[in-house]
């Protein structure tokens, strides 16, 4: 039986990231890339365990999250450096190639890895994200829609993001985070507040603090477009279409599947911008059918 292994990896001068591995060491590697300001524990334990039955699964804390270093305030970095970190994690763990699964900002970082280092990627699964491409979306009726005209983030989420985060203690912070997950989860599946409260409690215990960094929101996001590279892609790519997605709503996944050459689309009904237990089974099935079929 495999064991969970924790290890720190130096990804840049003065930048050390916490990593965790589980699954047979000789199984094909699978790298989980979480979203903005989210640590590795955003990937639910049951889903990670299910994937680890077939893969050597790696999850890690981004810079300025979890147990990783927090260099931004003294040494600001661009968002693109977070994609370089993903490759550096593979380097630090001695992994030549991996399946890459990215959620939200992690889906953008996975696109950067796919475009800039395709030789390191066995396959990619992208969810809850947008295309790093200027190519317009083509509707079913043949009409082209400029990227700037695709639907944006739900107003209630933008309003919550704009509010200053005040410190009223741990339980109040948990209340705030659960309210955030309620919005992110969409309105097509019942919301399990207790599940997300316990998830966030484990995230806070892992980090040792309930103070969140805003580093990723403040980081320079320029220079991330990869229109030509994605159009020339030759790596197997799966795009997950979440029907209740409120951050990058439909047709963002359809657009992504159009602009990444060879990509295929799978729909998970009811899924929003979160990973509640109700989507673990369908998501596990979709990912493993993709990775094991490569």
């Amino acid at each position: 039986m495999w064991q969970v292994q924790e290890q720190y990896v130096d990804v840049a001068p003065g930048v050390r990231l916490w990593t965790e591995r589980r699954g047979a060491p000789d199984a094909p590697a699978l790298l989980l890339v979480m979203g903005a300001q989210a640590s590795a524990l955003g990937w639910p334990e049951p889903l990670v365990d299910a994937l680890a039955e077939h893969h050597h699964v790696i999850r890690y804390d981004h810079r300025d999250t979890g147990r990783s270093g927090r260099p931004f305030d003294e040494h600001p970095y661009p968002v693109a450096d977070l994609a370089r970190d993903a490759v550096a994690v593979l380097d630090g763990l001695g992994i030549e190639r991996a399946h890459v699964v990215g959620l939200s900002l992690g889906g953008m970082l996975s696109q950067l890895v796919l475009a800039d280092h395709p030789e390191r990627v066995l396959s990619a699964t992208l969810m809850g994200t947008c295309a790093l491409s200027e190519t317009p979306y083509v509707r079913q009726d043949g009409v082209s829609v400029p990227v700037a005209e695709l639907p944006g983030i739900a107003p209630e989420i933008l309003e919550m993001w704009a509010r200053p985060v005040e410190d009223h203690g741990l339980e109040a912070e948990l209340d705030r985070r659960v309210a955030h997950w309620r919005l992110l989860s969409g309105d097509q599946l019942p919301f399990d507040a207790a599940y997300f409260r316990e998830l966030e409690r484990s995230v806070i215990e892992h980090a040792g603090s309930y103070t969140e960094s805003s580093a990723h929101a403040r980081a320079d996001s320029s220079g991330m477009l990869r229109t030509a590279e994605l159009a020339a892609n030759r790596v197997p790519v799966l795009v997950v279409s979440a029907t209740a997605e409120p951050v990058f709503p439909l047709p963002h996944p359809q657009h992504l599947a159009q602009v990444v050459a060879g990509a295929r689309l799978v729909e998970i009904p009811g899924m929003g911008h979160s990973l509640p237990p109700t989507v673990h089974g369908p998501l596990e099935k979709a990912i493993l059918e993709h990775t094991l079929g490569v």
Side-chain angles (χ1 to χ4, degrees):
M1 180 65 180
W2 44 264
Q3 294 183 330
V4 176
Q5 297 176 284
E6 298 181 21
Q7 180 178 335
Y8 283 90
V9 172
D10 294 315
V11 297
V15 182
R16 176 166 288 185
L17 304 187
W18 177 90
T19 74
E20 179 204 86
R21 290 180 284 167
R22 64 182 75 183
D26 58 349
L30 188 151
L31 180 69
L32 297 171
V33 187
M34 195 20 84
Q37 295 160 208
S39 75
L41 270 67
W43 294 105
E45 296 286 335
L47 179 61
V48 177
D49 281 338
L51 296 175
E53 292 296 325
H54 304 273
H55 290 290
H56 187 57
V57 178
I58 304 107
R59 60 179 180 172
Y60 67 99
D61 290 341
H62 290 299
R63 305 178 186 203
D64 288 282
T65 75
R67 296 179 179 174
S68 290
R70 297 177 179 252
F72 188 86
D73 288 338
E74 292 188 11
H75 302 285
Y77 50 81
V79 172
D81 274 6
L82 299 176
R84 298 184 185 98
D85 287 351
V87 177
V89 165
L90 296 179
D91 290 341
L93 299 178
I95 295 170
E96 183 177 350
R97 300 180 73 195
H99 299 280
V100 179
V101 178
L103 171 65
S104 194
L105 175 64
M108 299 180 203
L109 303 179
S110 298
Q111 290 177 67
L112 291 178
V113 175
L114 187 66
D116 299 346
H117 302 280
E119 75 284 354
R120 306 299 298 273
V121 185
L122 291 168
S123 78
T125 300
L126 311 172
M127 64 185 100
T129 193
C130 65
L132 301 183
S133 172
E134 295 176 303
T135 302
Y137 167 62
V138 181
R139 299 187 330 204
Q140 289 186 337
D141 60 7
V143 173
S144 291
V145 180
V147 174
E149 295 180 14
L150 292 178
I153 301 168
E156 59 270 23
I157 293 176
L158 289 176
E159 191 275 332
M160 187 172 191
W161 287 352
R163 291 181 216 156
V165 177
E166 300 176 346
D167 185 354
H168 296 292
L170 173 60
E171 295 304 319
E173 174 61 14
L174 287 169
D175 290 342
R176 186 191 70 82
R177 295 190 187 191
V178 170
H180 186 216
W181 281 120
R182 188 182 295 275
L183 294 178
L184 292 177
S185 295
D187 57 4
Q188 296 181 14
L189 294 174
F191 180 72
D192 188 344
Y195 168 80
F196 283 102
R197 194 175 193 87
E198 286 310 304
L199 173 67
E200 285 299 336
R201 198 180 294 278
S202 68
V203 167
I204 289 168
E205 289 174 355
H206 171 72
S209 169
Y210 60 78
T211 301
E212 281 191 333
S213 169
S214 61
H216 298 170
R218 291 180 285 144
D220 180 6
S221 61
S222 63
M224 290 177 62
L225 286 174
R226 295 293 188 276
T227 303
E229 293 86 349
L230 294 176
N233 171 65
R234 300 185 67 179
V235 175
V237 173
L238 177 69
V239 177
V240 173
S241 176
T243 61
E245 169 65 54
V247 177
F248 296 108
L250 307 183
H252 278 283
Q254 288 72 20
H255 177 233
L256 182 55
Q258 286 180 2
V259 303
V260 179
R264 66 183 185 88
L265 194 71
V266 64
E267 181 180 280
I268 298 186
M271 182 175 171
H273 199 76
S274 64
L275 302 174
T278 45
V279 307
H280 292 178
L283 191 55
E284 171 200 340
K285 181 175 183 288
I287 293 171
L288 290 177
E289 284 183 353
H290 180 55
T291 59
L292 299 179
V294 173

